[in-house]
Amino acid sequence: MDPVMALAGLGVGIVVGLTGMGGGALMTPILVLFFGIPPLAAVSSDLAASAVMKPFGGWVHARRGTVNWSLVRWLCLGSVPSAFAGVLLMRALGDGEQVQDIVRVALGIALLLAVVGLLLKSYKSGKSEKSEVPLKVRPVPTALLGAVGGLVVGMTSVGSGSLIIVILLALYPMLRPNDLVGTDLVQAIPLVAAAALGHAIFGDLKLDLAAAVLIGSIPGVLIGARLSSRAPAGVVRAALVIVLIASALKLFEVPTATVGIVVAVATAGAVVLGLRRRQAIAADVRAAAGAPEEALVSGRDQPQDRRTEDETHPKGAQSL
């Protein structure tokens, strides 16, 4: 049992609790890059830990009524069998170093897709407004989404949150953010469980790794859920994007110096965008606060002027 690995699980659990995503996208690269775990073992162990961790968040959302159960059913219809298919596909591709290389490349591609998805989600949340139109579930596209997500999760352990939640937002832009996160967390429970079971059947699961991750990730999820109402979502999302980019580049065997430059540029860009957004919000607040004051001042002036006029010109004088 590695305490450093448990500490990494704690950090990843906090991110999952804050954002509803990032579990597999962060934990699997950490296991591969920093602890030297073979990619296939890292994928299977992370899936097993996620199958235990995600119900905590899903239970909270189910109690609050922020789960669209119709969407969950159609997503699971496609994702659960597809997750098994993803595991079988990995086994059919071969054994040894060839499989590890395929998993590594597939994981890097999945991380970059997650980055694109997070950026699109941030853009949509800032530019679009949620309508009050009742949600109409589209069964076929939803099931196909679940199938694609299940295949990716079965192969890489990435996508149960980072990818599916973004495509859900694209399919159902009227879905409220709380319902979006709650639905994604609940549908991910049978998805990651199916993928973990598939890996366990073939003997890829490492229980000691999964246990070390769980020791940190379960309290991390609870802490992140408590902090989610206070922490700025934009800061967490920017940090997640930077970490995902760095992990993807390392999985593609990009030199460390190049990764450092990319991370520095991305961090600087995130800081500049954050400052601009804060200035824009502050300007809107000042404008909103100034308008009522002007209306109040003008409202005070008008009665005073009318009263002065009445005092200066009495009714008798007006009649004369």
Side-chain angles (χ1 to χ4, degrees), residues 103-123:
V103 174
R104 177 178 53 80
V105 174
L107 180 57
I109 294 173
L111 293 184
L112 292 180
L113 290 176
V115 169
V116 174
L118 286 172
L119 295 176
L120 289 176
K121 183 176 184 295
S122 176
Y123 176 82

Side-chain angles (χ1 to χ4, degrees), residues 26-297:
L26 288 177
M27 196 67 239
T28 303
I30 288 175
L31 292 175
V32 173
L33 298 175
F34 296 101
F35 294 96
I37 306 300
L40 204 56
V43 167
S44 59
S45 302
D46 179 60
L47 284 170
S50 296
V52 178
M53 177 179 61
K54 286 183 180 292
F56 285 89
W59 175 73
V60 172
H61 281 275
R63 288 190 60 188
R64 294 180 178 178
T66 54
V67 177
N68 189 305
W69 293 103
S70 180
L71 279 178
V72 170
R73 286 192 294 270
W74 284 107
L75 285 169
C76 292
L77 181 64
S79 65
V80 172
S82 183
F84 277 107
V87 178
L88 294 175
L89 179 61
M90 288 305 305
R91 304 304 303 185
L93 290 175
D95 295 324
E97 185 177 353
Q98 180 183 2
V99 174
Q100 307 297 337
D101 290 339
I102 293 174
V103 174
R104 177 178 53 80
V105 174
L107 180 57
I109 294 173
L111 293 184
L112 292 180
L113 290 176
V115 169
V116 174
L118 286 172
L119 295 176
L120 289 176
K121 183 176 184 295
S122 176
Y123 176 82
K124 279 184 169 291
S125 63
K127 296 295 183 180
S128 63
E129 297 181 357
K130 298 292 183 296
S131 63
E132 299 298 329
V133 179
L135 180 67
K136 183 179 180 180
V137 177
R138 291 181 285 173
V140 175
T142 304
L144 290 177
L145 163 64
V148 173
L151 189 66
V152 175
V153 171
M155 295 179 65
T156 67
S157 83
V158 177
S160 62
S162 303
L163 295 179
I164 290 182
I165 198 172
V166 173
I167 306 177
L168 267 178
L169 183 62
L171 284 177
Y172 302 101
M174 71 292 296
L175 196 62
R176 296 183 307 168
N178 288 343
D179 295 339
L180 185 69
V181 175
T183 300
D184 178 72
L185 280 173
V186 172
Q187 69 82 28
I189 296 171
L191 167 57
V192 296
L197 179 61
H199 281 280
I201 291 175
F202 290 103
D204 299 323
L205 178 61
K206 304 296 182 182
L207 292 177
D208 55 342
L209 294 179
V213 172
L214 279 174
I215 288 176
S217 62
I218 290 178
V221 168
L222 297 177
I223 294 172
R226 280 183 164 269
L227 296 177
S228 60
S229 60
R230 301 179 182 179
V235 174
V236 177
R237 189 182 297 113
L240 182 58
V241 167
I242 292 171
V243 173
L244 292 178
I245 291 175
S247 299
L249 293 179
K250 288 300 295 180
L251 288 171
F252 288 134
E253 298 182 347
V254 175
T256 304
T258 304
V259 175
I261 294 173
V262 172
V263 169
V265 172
T267 303
V271 171
V272 171
L273 291 177
L275 291 176
R276 287 184 177 179
R277 178 170 295 184
R278 177 173 294 182
Q279 292 174 355
I281 293 174
D284 292 340
V285 171
R286 287 194 299 267
E293 293 179 358
E294 295 176 0
L296 183 59
V297 171

